[in-house]
Amino acid sequence: MSSANNPLQTSYDVGKPALSDTQATRLVEDVFGLKVSKIKPLPSYDDQNFHIVTKDLEKTRNVTDFVLKITNCQESKNENCIDLQTRVMMFLREEGFPTATAFPTRDGQILSLQSTDYGSGIKDHVVRLMTYLPGVPLAKIPAGPDLLYEVGQLAAKLDKALEKFSHPNINTLDRGSFIWNLSQIPLLKEMVFALDQQRHREVVEQTILEFEKCVLPKLGDFRRSINHGDLNDYNILLQQTSKESFGKIQDTYRISGILDFNDMSNGYYAFEVAIAIMYMMIESQEPLKAGGYVLAGFESILPLNPKEKDALYLLVMGRFSQSLVIARHSVLQHPENEEYLMVTAKTGWKHLLTMAELGKEDVEKIWFDTAKEYSECK
């Protein structure tokens, strides 16, 4: 379909950056005053990231590895929001979470708005240099009940810690019609044309309808919080460690990094756990039980109230719909990035369709029974 016939086809074109390695290297040297010894592109959804290695150890206090983050044109218009996201990461670092921190620009700022021409005219992008976090994405590791439980705890601990965060511009997290906020599921109506399978479209449209009817009118009963908003299996890093169990040393994994705070917004506790459940289902051999383990971990820190619990099924269905529809829609604008954009779709549609076929009652029974049984064994 052409954009002339479908103006909405370009409505989510956020202006993804496309700098060359040479341009990115020059940015690091000009804006942050560091000499780059190695540079490697990293995958990203709407932005552009590079793994940077520098040998300016005196300037960086012996830190050698960084991530150069170049924000898309659309979000770069809101510097205050990006500044706040960065300060949240730095706050969480001080609170003991494995988050990145910002390396200052030459003039001591944590970000800079830069004008760059990479072949399609001069574009403005916010750039930041963040410390590189080591580890393997959770997506690469078979996640058992203990790790899924820990992810649920992480989601709750993050939101709980952010209760203490304050900043003069904190209202910038009220992001209006931000497409990735779970309250904005109805915006998907403008993108469902991108789905090329009738059954997929039917399930998404039914999810939107039920979400509008059964979730949106009850948001007043949910407890508000600041949400990370994207605790997916690629935004949680793990490092291998060992622990003693029953007299034997066993290899295990610990969470070593939390990435990508770009989707932060004011939301609700129930949103955070639903998003975590959805993404942990993606790679799991037992996807529905995975939701129960995540829920058990979350509720060990922040038990859901009855209204929040009752909405959980539709919240997870809604997040699957967001991820799958927005990805398919984005491929229309960036076919060169299809492999990365469609990672969730490899198993996501299967899970969404399974949940739709089972229905709310059966899915919730699996989640709640699994969570209860696991919690009783802790």
Side-chain angles (χ1 to χ4, degrees), residues 17-251:
L19 278 69
S20 66
D21 290 6
T22 301
Q23 288 175 309
T25 297
R26 191 180 305 125
L27 264 183
V28 174
E29 294 177 351
D30 292 349
V31 178
F32 300 96
L34 299 179
K35 294 289 185 182
V36 176
S37 59
K38 292 182 183 178
I39 182 169
K40 178 183 177 182
L42 296 172
S44 182
Y45 201 102
D46 286 330
D47 304 324
Q48 190 175 22
N49 298 329
F50 292 89
H51 182 185
I52 301 293
V53 179
T54 179
K55 291 184 178 178
D56 291 332
L57 300 185
E58 289 187 12
K59 292 182 180 179
T60 62
R61 297 182 182 179
N62 291 324
V63 177
T64 59
D65 292 58
F66 296 87
V67 174
L68 175 66
K69 297 187 69 67
I70 306 165
T71 303
N72 65 74
C73 291
Q74 186 64 37
E75 292 185 29
S76 290
K77 295 175 182 178
N78 192 346
E79 287 185 63
N80 284 340
C81 188
I82 300 171
D83 178 88
L84 192 67
Q85 293 165 5
T86 310
R87 295 187 186 281
V88 164
M89 284 187 272
M90 297 166 73
F91 166 81
L92 289 171
R93 184 80 180 183
E94 292 176 357
E95 292 289 310
F97 291 87
T99 53
T101 191
F103 185 82
T105 63
R106 285 179 180 271
D107 57 358
Q109 304 302 309
I110 63 174
L111 55 80
S112 176
L113 185 66
Q114 294 291 312
S115 299
T116 307
D117 187 347
Y118 40 84
S120 56
I122 296 175
K123 305 286 180 66
D124 291 335
H125 298 284
V126 168
V127 299
R128 292 170 289 169
L129 195 63
M130 310 298 296
T131 50
Y132 180 85
L133 298 175
V136 178
L138 188 148
K140 306 293 185 182
I141 305 297
D146 291 349
L147 184 54
L148 294 168
Y149 181 86
E150 188 177 348
V151 170
Q153 286 190 315
L154 173 66
K157 288 176 180 177
L158 275 177
D159 285 11
K160 197 166 180 61
L162 289 174
E163 292 174 2
K164 298 183 291 182
F165 178 78
S166 62
H167 190 274
N169 292 328
I170 198 164
N171 61 352
T172 60
L173 292 178
D174 294 327
R175 299 177 71 177
S177 58
F178 178 51
I179 188 69
W180 285 106
N181 189 296
L182 258 178
S183 63
Q184 300 302 324
I185 293 297
L187 292 179
L188 297 180
K189 293 176 184 177
E190 301 179 353
M191 298 184 182
V192 292
F193 73 85
L195 302 180
D196 53 11
Q197 293 192 38
Q198 183 64 26
R199 179 57 180 158
H200 291 177
R201 186 180 298 192
E202 288 172 355
V203 170
V204 169
E205 289 175 339
Q206 185 62 31
T207 298
I208 297 170
L209 186 66
E210 292 183 22
F211 197 94
E212 290 178 315
K213 178 183 176 182
C214 302
V215 176
L216 293 183
K218 299 176 182 177
L219 287 180
D221 297 316
F222 293 10
R223 291 164 299 164
R224 297 194 64 88
S225 70
I226 297 175
N227 293 149
H228 174 280
D230 197 16
L231 283 177
N232 70 50
D233 44 342
Y234 282 88
N235 284 341
I236 298 174
L237 300 179
L238 305 175
Q239 280 192 317
Q240 194 169 33
T241 185
S242 299
K243 71 175 182 179
E244 186 175 343
S245 179
F246 299 104
K248 295 182 179 180
I249 301 298
Q250 295 182 339
D251 290 333

Side-chain angles (χ1 to χ4, degrees), residues 301-335:
I301 308 295
L302 285 169
L304 298 178
N305 68 38
K307 295 290 180 65
E308 293 166 338
K309 216 165 199 175
D310 184 59
L312 196 57
Y313 170 79
L314 279 174
L315 290 174
V316 175
M317 290 282 286
R319 184 55 169 203
F320 266 118
S321 298
Q322 278 182 320
S323 181
L324 295 165
V325 172
I326 294 172
R328 185 69 253 172
H329 189 266
S330 296
V331 168
L332 297 180
Q333 281 117 24
H334 300 287

